[in-house]
Amino acid sequence: MPSIPQPLLPDDDGSAAPAVAAALRAFHAGTAGPADVLNALTGARVLVPVVALLTESEVGEHGLRQEKESEMALPKLVGKDGREAVLAFTSAESLARWRPDARPIQASALQVCQAAVGERAAAVVLDVAGPHSFVIEGAALTAMAAVASGSLPDSDDAITVTRLEEPAPQRRRFPWSRRR
């Protein structure tokens, strides 16, 4: 018989991790950089939404259409350019802002990045409906997925994973270097 996995945090009340909430507020206020948010997210729990998707309906005895069968689905965002993004939320409140009927599944931010790379998504969008959204994409997404898997990709374009630090003020880019 299959077993139901234990949640990451059994006593989770759905609140955002204080370090993550503070980093996102500071980033949006312009007093912190993306590296500060990524550092806070590295060990954080996020919530991935699951929604019911109607797959089959029927007309009931009173002539009304009713659900016959549904499946649970992990929704993705699709940009105007066709790129897909995985959704994640810092709290149950931010998830409910986006879609009140979605159900939260606990995951680490690193696991979500790893899943996004595995699904060939271009990004992870955090708190899409606010209060402070943040996008993880490109080298940052690849690096966080690599940390989650414990291995770097085999290619000449692989990235070196290091502790994230805010770059010098004149340079506004992620502080990872590429191996050649």
Side-chain angles (χ1 to χ4, degrees), residues 83-99:
R83 294 185 309 150
E84 294 182 341
V86 171
L87 296 170
F89 297 87
T90 58
S91 68
E93 179 185 338
S94 63
L95 173 64
R97 281 177 187 235
W98 171 70
R99 190 163 166 180

Side-chain angles (χ1 to χ4, degrees), residues 12-22 24 37 40-41 44-49 87-97 104 107 109 125-128 130-134:
D12 190 352
D13 66 359
S15 299
V20 173
L24 286 169
V37 177
L41 284 169
R45 178 276 295 143
V46 294
L47 301 172
V48 178
L87 296 170
F89 297 87
T90 58
S91 68
E93 179 185 338
S94 63
L95 173 64
R97 281 177 187 235
V125 177
L126 192 66
D127 291 345
V128 68
H132 303 293
S133 59
F134 185 79

